[in-house]
Amino acid sequence: MAEEREIAEAMISEIHKKITDAFDVFDHEYNKTVDVREIGTIIRSLGCCPSEGELHDILAEIEDEEPTGYINFDRFLPTMTKVLMERRYRPIPEDVLLQAFEVLDQEKKGYLMPEQLTKFMSEEGEPFTQEEMEEMLSAAVDPDKNVILYKDYVTMMAVEAP
Amino acid sequence: MGCGSSTTTVDYSLKKSERAMKAAILIQRWYRRYTAHLEVRRRCTWTIFQSIEYSGEQDQIKLYNFFSSLMDHFTPSNTKERDLITSIFSEKEINEEMELEKYYDFENIHLSEGYKGPHLCFPLTASHAAALVEAFRHKQHLHARYVLQLLLETWKLLKLMPNINRVSTCYNKEITVCGDLHGKLDDLLLIFYKNGLPSVEKPYIFNGDYVDRGKDSIEILMILFAFLLVYPNQVHLNRGNHEDYIVNLRYGFTKEVMQKYKVHGKKILRLLQIVFSWLPLATIIDQKILIIHGGISRSTDLDVIATIDRHKYVSAVKQPKRRKTTRQGQRQPGECCCGINRNDSSPVPSTYRSGSDSRPLNSISKGVRLSVDKELERCRKQVGLSDDTRVSLLLSESDTEQYEASELENAEWKQVVDILWSDPVNQEGCIPNVVRGGGCYFGPDVTKEVLEKHNFQLLIRSHECKQDGYEFCHNRKVLTIFSASNYYEEGSNRGAYVRMGPDLIPHFVQYQSSKTTRKLTMRQRVSRVERSAIRDLREQLFAHRCDLLRAFEQCDKTKKGKISLNDWANTVESVMQLGLPWRILRSQLVPNTTDGHIDYQAWFEHLAIEQPIKETPQSSSLLETLYRNRSNLETIFRLIDSDSSGLISFEEFRQTWKLLSSHLNTEISDQAISDLARSIDFNKDGNIDINEFMEAFRLVDRNPS
């Protein structure tokens, strides 16, 4: 019983350190606060994959009653610990991602036209900004054929676990 | 039937659009996570470059402080020591008025037959200046005679200018403000290409740091000074903290000039010292916008700044010191008198008192002085001076008075240092800028106070590299503008300049001066800059491996050669003191870990870098100390290489190393130094070539990644 608790404590301690490190990268003044606009990046860098809507929910928990534009580490740590312990917003497995692309590729050709993807990403779900769209296209479009071979793209983009 | 089919259609289409939305969100979530990872990598890379850069600046100042205190408190009693110290600190005072033209007798510098570079004739015209730009664009070299002549003319003009330039946007002129250029000629050419050359219709303000780091510093200066001479009312140059010969010794400008101008380089550098000291400190637009290079402090007072003798501060790193008074207590001729332009009877206002809010660059408290004396004593013993020749090192109270400048002089000096070295931060207050070693960190409250005191609406400054070339802070009351793109590495950042018309609304233009980066994806760009930063970081770690090893061994209680990830991160930070996110960087620095532990001996093997100088067990820690301090050493060598031959003798090398080692608190035996000197003398002629020496420390990566 005690051993189990030790293991759990060690795990929490590790999680705390991970969260602290990620937070510190964006803590420019070394005063344990970060700009609220960076919270999404921090949470994602810790391995989570929330949607924008889910991010807003987390922020609602963390932010002060009167938002100052800054988030304090003391409020971030407990919430983020829970998120990681409960393994919320897990990353998406490759095959599920492929299925998402295939929703667009009805004929199962194996590729998409850039205009198709652009329209889809800019109009559906939580739309991309123009910058995000351009960045994605710059890496995704095969320069010779001018199409998006989405299976190759997904494989190429697989993020190594930190 | 109709209802049935329509329901099915509606259901299907609802399902379809719901599926589409879910699919879109999936892809968007996944993509945003990917870009977040890239952003963290980019941020870490940035922090690496910045912390290495600032700790280098701090090193430089510490080194200079040490030698400066040596000058004050050390009485050399053999010729060798005295020669060394005086050659480091000799200030060949030139009576500017009379002797400059005679000393820089460029009339007798003849152009060689084959000279194909640009020709200048004075007074300069706009077409001369434009032709100069074109010549440099085609990588031509300007003859030393013209360099000296141009510098002399510039000096004559700058002397007439006040400390603070006042500019107006009347006649609907748009003013362009540029930040740090740091020797990046490509960026200046790009700015002129996009924005036009300076002219009566196109005024420019350049905000300092024209030199160091980039490879075309002298060309940038030539261009800017040429346009200054042609359009003295439309081109304005502020001084930056790099317009300072002490800083130039370390950051590459001195080296660049000596390499490009082997015969006349020394003269050019000396004249540049004077020209730099005459650069104005600030520019004000329409009495509403203040433009200075670094920042401000709580005590910044433009009325004070307007009256000081700015050319006294040949280097802002040096605290003003009064020379020893003669027996009658009279000041010696040539000494700086701060009362020359001021009414001596005016009372000293409270702002003059040197406050605790910024650190004068050479603050030596009594306690520090004592420990310096102890070190000097040790140093003297090492050098082998007998006890009879012992000189009293601890000066009496009354004696020390002579070596300290008055409060007034210190307060003035502080005004200059603050302007050139300070950085804005988001926290309120004003504290010493310990990372850089000079000036302060000023908060939004200080900005508000100082701007209100002078009725300004905006402070424009440079001094810090920004990812996008510019950045606002302090409620948009402070604007940082930085014009050197790819400053740390190809692809690291954009440069920017800002234009303002009479409405004083800023319009920004951003650019990046390389063609290749545009074709790379974000991931490729981030990776490339990251590789460069990690390489620099590995060098830093390798340079400290003896300290790191010792610290790891202390931590490793089981003595099995392994420590936990956590201990690794904490230990590395305590040794390196760079404030970096070591856990996040770990995967790039330490390739293999076994169950959460790192084999630190193997890690050093992995970091290992090939060295052209053979390492023996005896010499390895010496070599490491040398390697770690190569920038310091280069600085000192260039200082003592008074005839700028590029060579220093064994004896000079030995003496230098002895002094440096007392600064570093290490014990080096005479034999070890001599052996090392001999091994560095590659052509065996009894002299060490400075450049060869530095080359020996350009280490080759054994594990190219």
Side-chain angles (χ1 to χ4, degrees), chain A residues 28-29, chain B residues 46 50 53-54 57 179-180 182 207 209 241 292-295 420-425 433 435-436 440-442 461-471 473 478-484 487-488 493-494:
Chain A
H28 304 297
E29 313 274 302
Chain B
W46 192 262
Q50 210 168 39
E53 174 183 18
Y54 293 164
E57 279 182 351
D180 293 22
H182 280 298
N207 202 11
D209 277 12
N241 66 313
I292 47 180
H293 174 74
L420 298 179
W421 285 81
S422 301
D423 290 314
V425 292
N433 189 331
V435 175
R436 295 220 200 225
C440 41
Y441 288 131
F442 62 99
R461 45 91 63 175
S462 303
H463 198 40
E464 279 179 301
C465 183
K466 294 294 176 192
Q467 169 78 5
D468 291 315
Y470 74 95
E471 193 177 275
C473 66
V478 175
L479 167 65
T480 302
I481 188 90
F482 194 86
S483 301
Y487 178 62
Y488 289 122
N493 65 289
R494 291 194 277 183

Side-chain angles (χ1 to χ4, degrees), chain B residues 351-368:
Chain B
T351 50
Y352 284 53
R353 310 232 175 284
S354 48
S356 55
D357 60 348
S358 86
R359 170 182 296 183
L361 288 173
N362 193 7
S363 56
I364 301 189
S365 67
K366 195 138 176 246
V368 175

Side-chain angles (χ1 to χ4, degrees), chain A residues 17 21 29 49 126 132, chain B residues 28-29 32 426 566 583:
Chain A
K17 289 195 195 87
D21 266 356
E29 313 274 302
C49 207
E126 294 168 336
E132 283 172 314
Chain B
Q28 285 149 350
R29 271 170 63 188
R32 283 171 176 142
N426 286 328
N566 213 25
R583 283 183 200 88

Side-chain angles (χ1 to χ4, degrees), chain A residues 126-146:
Chain A
E126 294 168 336
F128 271 172
T129 63
Q130 193 185 358
E131 212 182 307
E132 283 172 314
M133 198 64 244
E134 278 171 12
E135 270 302 331
M136 183 185 225
L137 287 176
S138 76
V141 176
D142 181 312
D144 302 319
K145 306 180 190 139
N146 201 37

Side-chain angles (χ1 to χ4, degrees), chain B residues 180-217:
Chain B
D180 293 22
L181 286 165
H182 280 298
K184 304 241 175 200
L185 184 60
D186 285 343
D187 285 316
L188 183 59
L189 295 177
L190 189 54
I191 294 174
F192 285 161
Y193 176 71
K194 287 167 97 77
N195 200 47
L197 291 176
S199 68
V200 175
E201 286 78 39
K202 198 153 283 277
Y204 273 86
I205 298 171
F206 291 93
N207 202 11
D209 277 12
Y210 314 114
V211 304
D212 279 332
R213 296 189 73 117
K215 56 179 184 54
D216 298 311
S217 300

